[in-house]
Amino acid sequence: MSIASATALSPATEPKSRSLKALGAVNFFLADVRDGLGPFLGIFLIGQGWSTATIGLVMTIGGIAGMLATTPLGALADASKAKRFMVAFCAGLVIVASLAILFLPNFTFVTASQIATGIAGAAIGPAIAGLTLGLVGQAGLAHQLGRNEAWNHGGNVFAAAGAGFFGYEFGLTAVFILMTAMAVGSIASILMIDPKDIDHDVARGLDPKAEGGDKEAPSGFNVLWKSTPLLILAATLMLFHFGNGAMLPLLGQQVASQAESGSASSSASATAAPGASSQGATPPDASTQTQARTDGATTIAPGQSTAGRPATAPVQQHSTLQTLLSDPVSYTAATVIIAQLTMIPIALLAAGFARKRGYFLLLIAALVALPVRGLIAGLWPSHFALIPVQMLDGIGAGLLGVAVPGLVARILKGTGHINAGLGAVMTVQGIGASLSPAIAGVVVSRYGFSVAYLMLAGFAILGLLLWLVSAPKVAAACKGD
């Protein structure tokens, strides 16, 4: 390679280490910002008296807004050299939108907040993908995508652990504060990326060695409809996200609903107790009011019964783990932590596998994980089901986080439309993700949570079948280096 060629490639292939470290920090802090309140939104709204169907509706409206905005925002990421500003502005927008929910939790403001959050998330994805490609080029993309995902999942673990702890101690308001702090960190980190290290032609998929490349703003819709592998990928991901979109929010809502039902039952018991004692019951003497048992349980005499502690019933000593899993905020935090801890090694392994073997098998593994996850959630009604359910979520999401942007970049290499194409794929998959909460919410209200989980698993199976049947048409695009 000539000296001139090496110089031309250096901005894309040998970025300054400071910019790459800053990119890792951006992915870390954006973990708690990109999707807004995420599954904690459902818990907060159930506490405000909302139904699962209404929660699903506002989530769907926000998802549709993001879906419609993704393709034009992907085209903007291709054409613009202000990718850093796009990320910083969207992080600030999420802060304002989420805090509006805290102070004004009515339908109008929550819906507006979800629309703003959906649009911000739609812009962040292509902008980060463009920054990554512009810093490392096609040759280093798979490796850097793995690092990006590892940092992102690490940020999710940190945010979820913080939300679980502070939410348990101080209530859901602490979750809003933590997300605001993470957004501020993401803005500070994005400003540390040196704009001179970004090759904006490479960032949109143009060949750095080509002269007079197309400088026009791309049309994401044209890229989508003319590329058969891209169409197949988009349709497959639409079915995947139809199955995946509502699953984690439903897990949190299920625990929150059970907690609300438990509180209602305790209140009913407390109301019924005085009536029972007024029907001729004689006061017990002091020797029978409280009896210590050698097995550690305490028998409460009729006169000493309270809500949740019926007469003559032993006190149940719940473990710390059981207590935490019965709290909706802590339970939701646990689901996120388990999934994200699984995603970190999976993302790093997926990056190495993609360089050697390509992306086809990565997609299959991700698609298989989701139906199994839905079956476990639907057939095992236990808090402890969250462990295998969320580990499978971590496997699927960790693989897709590397495979999808890498595969889109490979399919559209040299076109100058990579981020518009990624936006188009995200638009189509957003159809499934946005419809999933609304339909799942209706199914829950009519048939229960178990049926909803099984329904979601069925859509994931359809996505797997589509990808397998389409293997001959996508194999060439999925090959390794």
Side-chain angles (χ1 to χ4, degrees):
M1 180 182 294
S2 65
I3 296 176
S5 298
T7 303
L9 287 171
S10 61
T13 57
E14 298 179 6
K16 294 180 180 178
S17 59
R18 176 184 173 185
S19 292
L20 278 182
K21 291 177 181 178
L23 181 63
V26 170
N27 279 279
F28 179 89
F29 287 112
L30 281 178
D32 197 40
V33 178
R34 203 166 180 170
D35 298 322
L37 291 170
F40 293 102
L41 174 64
I43 297 172
F44 176 75
L45 294 178
I46 281 180
Q48 299 295 315
W50 288 48
S51 68
T52 55
T54 307
I55 294 171
L57 176 61
V58 297
M59 286 184 172
T60 294
I61 292 173
I64 291 173
M67 175 190 69
L68 295 176
T70 302
T71 299
L73 289 172
L76 177 63
D78 274 325
S80 175
K81 295 184 179 180
K83 297 176 180 64
R84 299 188 311 149
F85 173 79
M86 286 179 64
V87 175
F89 176 81
C90 290
L93 181 60
V94 171
I95 294 175
V96 174
S98 299
L99 290 179
I101 296 177
L102 178 62
F103 296 106
L104 297 166
N106 57 56
F107 184 84
T108 300
F109 277 93
V110 172
T111 302
S113 170
Q114 288 304 287
I115 292 173
T117 300
I119 293 173
I124 288 174
I128 291 295
L131 284 172
T132 303
L133 187 56
L135 286 170
V136 301
Q138 285 277 353
L141 184 60
H143 174 71
Q144 188 59 41
L145 286 174
R147 291 177 60 85
N148 284 359
E149 288 299 302
W151 277 109
N152 183 266
H153 302 319
N156 270 314
V157 171
F158 175 83
F165 175 77
F166 292 112
Y168 184 77
E169 293 291 332
F170 306 107
L172 271 171
T173 302
V175 177
F176 288 83
I177 297 173
L178 176 63
M179 192 187 69
T180 300
M182 294 285 281
V184 172
S186 69
I187 294 172
S189 299
I190 197 70
L191 295 177
M192 294 178 64
I193 297 178
D194 190 342
K196 296 178 182 178
D197 291 335
I198 306 168
D199 188 321
H200 292 282
D201 287 339
V202 173
R204 60 184 292 181
L206 292 175
D207 187 340
K209 293 181 287 186
E211 297 182 359
D214 181 15
K215 301 298 182 182
E216 298 295 325
S219 172
F221 288 105
N222 289 337
V223 170
L224 176 63
W225 293 114
K226 291 181 180 179
S227 174
T228 299
L230 200 67
L231 278 169
I232 294 169
L233 176 64
T236 300
L237 292 174
M238 179 185 70
L239 291 169
F240 175 90
H241 284 279
F242 199 116
N244 187 68
M247 200 165 292
L248 179 54
L250 283 186
L251 288 170
Q253 291 174 38
Q254 184 175 15
V255 175
S257 297
Q258 291 170 348
E260 291 290 324
S261 299
S263 298
S265 299
S266 296
S267 299
S269 299
T271 302
S277 62
S278 64
Q279 298 177 5
T282 57
D285 57 40
S287 63
T288 61
Q289 285 184 353
T290 304
Q291 298 177 3
R293 289 170 48 180
T294 57
D295 59 2
T298 302
T299 301
I300 307 300
Q304 299 293 315
S305 62
T306 60
R309 298 178 67 186
T312 69
V315 174
Q316 299 295 324
Q317 300 294 333
H318 294 292
S319 68
T320 302
L321 179 60
Q322 288 175 317
T323 301
L324 289 174
L325 294 182
S326 297
D327 175 69
V329 178
S330 298
Y331 182 88
T332 301
T335 64
V336 175
I337 291 171
I338 292 170
Q340 299 298 327
L341 284 176
T342 306
M343 290 178 199
I344 294 173
I346 290 295
L348 295 174
L349 291 172
F353 186 91
R355 292 199 303 270
K356 298 177 181 178
R357 301 287 300 276
Y359 294 102
F360 186 78
L361 293 178
L362 290 183
L363 263 293
I364 290 179
L367 294 168
V368 167
L370 182 54
V372 177
R373 182 185 178 214
L375 289 173
I376 294 174
L379 300 177
W380 186 14
S382 167
H383 290 334
F384 294 100
L386 77 90
I387 297 174
V389 165
Q390 289 308 100
M391 287 184 71
L392 288 168
D393 180 40
I395 292 172
L399 295 176
L400 289 180
V402 173
V404 173
L407 184 53
V408 171
R410 182 164 295 180
I411 291 172
L412 300 177
K413 181 180 180 181
T415 66
H417 300 300
I418 283 179
N419 295 299
L422 180 60
V425 169
M426 293 172 67
T427 296
V428 177
Q429 77 177 30
I431 296 173
S434 60
L435 291 176
S436 182
I439 295 178
V442 173
V443 173
V444 168
S445 64
R446 294 186 179 182
Y447 305 107
F449 284 96
S450 293
V451 174
Y453 293 133
L454 296 177
M455 180 269 294
L456 296 174
F459 279 98
I461 291 173
L462 292 178
L464 173 61
L465 292 176
L466 174 61
W467 186 250
L468 291 174
V469 170
S470 305
K473 297 181 180 179
V474 299
C478 291
K479 289 181 179 178
D481 296 332

